[in-house]
Amino acid sequence: MCDWELNQVSIVGIIRRFVQSMTSIQYLVDDMTGPPLNVKLWVNMENCGLINFASPGTYVKVLGSLRNYNGQRSLLAMNIRCVKDLNEITSHMLEVVQAHMQLFGKVFDVNMNTTAALPLDGRSHHEGIIPDGLSTIQSEVLNVIQKFSAHEYGISFQDLRTKLNYLSFLDIRTTLAFLINEGFIFPTIDEQHFKSPQQ
């Protein structure tokens, strides 16, 4: 991918067919990014009875090593499991989009069309845009703290709770601990006032 060798990968797709032998199971998994991928899972004779075989039409998540032999891609699976919660498919798609944004330094819209370029460090320095890798709650808390970082002591915990009254006390406290540990914010005059060094 862009002259980079990929080795350990995670894919989510639909099983199109499978063939079982004495020592392995061969799956044809379609992750909708190209032709279906050949996936091989070696099985141990003693554990063969413990393996649940996924049937065609089932969504699975596969972790394994990518192989390329004579121009044919295949995946040597370490783990295959059925996807029981369909939110996992959406989550995987979002991870793929985020990986593309980080690898290519571009921002994509919902149809994967390029909308703007990011600086090479992967972070935007425009006001209101949050660094990569933060959850929605972490982004919201950081955004409010950044807005008040111009004040001498930053923002108090009580004012932060007032501004983010739709978040629970525990969510705000947990997020503050994370943001401090990651260096996004720091306490000022006491443990109840916070600023961001990015202002």
Side-chain angles (χ1 to χ4, degrees), residues 82-93:
C82 293
V83 173
K84 292 184 171 47
D85 183 358
L86 295 183
N87 288 323
E88 192 171 348
I89 299 168
T90 305
S91 175
H92 182 77
M93 284 190 249

Side-chain angles (χ1 to χ4, degrees), residues 87-160:
N87 288 323
E88 192 171 348
I89 299 168
T90 305
S91 175
H92 182 77
M93 284 190 249
L94 292 172
E95 289 170 357
V96 170
V97 171
Q98 182 184 17
H100 274 272
M101 287 171 53
Q102 290 175 336
L103 289 173
F104 302 116
K106 295 179 182 174
V107 176
F108 296 91
D109 67 11
V110 293
N111 297 317
M112 291 301 287
N113 296 317
T114 305
T115 59
L118 290 175
L120 290 177
D121 66 0
R123 295 185 179 193
S124 174
H125 301 289
H126 299 295
E127 186 176 341
I129 297 180
I130 304 300
D132 293 340
L134 296 182
S135 71
T136 304
I137 292 173
Q138 293 163 351
S139 298
E140 290 172 0
V141 172
L142 179 58
N143 191 27
V144 171
I145 292 171
Q146 286 176 335
K147 288 179 181 173
F148 284 84
S149 288
H151 295 99
E152 183 179 1
Y153 302 122
I155 187 171
S156 71
F157 178 73
Q158 194 57 44
D159 289 341
L160 190 62

Side-chain angles (χ1 to χ4, degrees), residues 21-36:
S21 71
M22 293 295 288
T23 57
S24 67
I25 307 168
Q26 298 256 6
Y27 290 100
L28 195 61
V29 179
D30 189 358
D31 69 348
M32 312 299 178
T33 62

Side-chain angles (χ1 to χ4, degrees), residues 137 140-141 157 160-161 164-176:
I137 292 173
E140 290 172 0
V141 172
F157 178 73
L160 190 62
R161 284 196 67 197
L164 300 169
N165 59 3
Y166 52 91
L167 296 178
S168 72
F169 175 89
L170 181 60
D171 283 343
I172 294 174
R173 272 289 173 211
T174 304
T175 300
L176 287 172

